[in-house]
């Protein structure tokens, strides 16, 4: 595989629930395939309320039950991230549109994708915000992330092969 790492930024609203979990799920997948050295994976929020904070305790608890490892602090998405990453992977329509507002040109805009579009069912349109709900919402997020991240990884690797 190409030595230049593929750079992926998962994006949600607060960067304490969905996108840190997506980062952890994706990191687990590439580690299992021995591909960690070929990727740079981070996450960010479109909002800045949780800069410097650990992921939400509910997300950590449910994720750790599935073997996920969380080791990041909250950061906010900015214009500079379009130069730092190849893919900006959003969780819902709101994140998608907010990310596009920061894009400077068509090349930037092409980097913004919706993770839900990679769901195997073809009927999931978002990774739903679990913040104001119960624990089942966090498990639903993890179920969706496990499916979509596996398909997204396959897509990225296929795109790489065809370059
Ligand atoms: P996330 O969830 O976007 O998945 O990190 C949220 C976290 C915090 C807030 C909203 C959603 N908030 O309003 O503070």
């Amino acid at each position: 595989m190409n030595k230049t790492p593929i750079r992926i930024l998962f994006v949600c609203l607060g960067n304490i629930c969905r996108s840190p979990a997506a980062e952890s799920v994706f990191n687990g997948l590439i580690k299992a395939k021995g591909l960690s050295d070929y990727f740079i994976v981070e996450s960010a929020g479109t909002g800045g309320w949780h800069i410097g904070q650990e992921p939400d305790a509910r997300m950590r608890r449910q994720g750790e039950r599935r073997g996920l490892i969380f080791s990041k602090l909250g950061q906010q998405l900015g214009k500079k991230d379009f130069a730092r990453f190849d893919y900006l992977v959003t969780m819902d329509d709101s994140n998608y549109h907010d990310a596009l507002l920061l894009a400077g040109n068509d090349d930037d805009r092409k980097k913004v994708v919706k993770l839900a579009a990679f769901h195997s069912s073809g009927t999931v349109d978002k990774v739903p915000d679990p913040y104001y709900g119960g624990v089942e919402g966090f498990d639903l997020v993890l179920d969706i992330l496990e499916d979509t991240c596996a398909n997204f990884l396959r897509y990225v690797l296929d795109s790489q092969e065809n370059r």
Side-chain angles (χ1 to χ4, degrees):
M1 232 173 100
N2 197 320
K3 276 270 162 55
T4 312
I6 306 167
R7 306 163 303 165
I8 295 173
L9 183 66
F10 290 101
V11 177
C12 64
L13 175 61
N15 194 214
I16 52 170
C17 299
R18 292 166 291 174
S19 62
E23 179 182 339
S24 300
V25 168
F26 196 86
N27 275 331
L29 291 169
I30 57 176
K31 188 170 179 200
K33 289 181 186 289
L35 295 174
S36 298
D37 288 348
Y38 298 99
F39 285 88
I40 290 172
V41 186
E42 289 187 27
S43 62
T46 56
W49 315 284
H50 301 290
I51 293 170
Q53 293 180 10
E54 288 190 345
D56 186 286
R58 298 165 294 174
M59 190 82 256
R60 286 208 311 270
R61 192 177 313 116
Q62 297 315 108
E64 283 164 1
R65 291 172 72 157
R66 300 186 190 210
L68 296 184
I69 298 162
F70 293 87
S71 60
K72 69 153 276 116
L73 299 176
Q75 56 179 351
Q76 186 171 17
L77 179 69
K79 285 180 189 294
K80 66 175 187 326
D81 290 318
F82 287 88
R84 296 180 61 226
F85 293 96
D86 303 309
Y87 297 94
L88 282 75
V89 187
T90 61
M91 302 294 136
D92 62 26
D93 285 353
S94 168
N95 318 147
Y96 179 76
H97 291 294
D98 287 344
L100 285 178
L101 287 175
L102 292 171
N105 55 45
D106 280 348
D107 284 344
D108 284 358
R109 277 185 275 279
K110 282 185 207 142
K111 294 183 176 186
V112 184
V113 300
K114 293 181 188 181
L115 187 57
F118 294 90
H119 197 272
S120 302
S121 71
T123 59
V124 170
D125 65 353
K126 62 174 172 292
V127 184
D129 185 345
Y131 191 68
Y132 291 106
V135 73
E136 67 286 353
F138 290 83
D139 280 323
L140 174 63
V141 165
L142 290 165
D143 289 343
I144 295 174
L145 292 178
E146 286 171 356
D147 181 290
T148 52
C149 283
N151 290 328
F152 177 63
L153 173 58
R154 226 167 279 132
Y155 165 81
V156 168
L157 293 174
D158 286 349
S159 308
Q160 185 75 4
E161 269 175 23
N162 297 328
R163 273 206 317 206

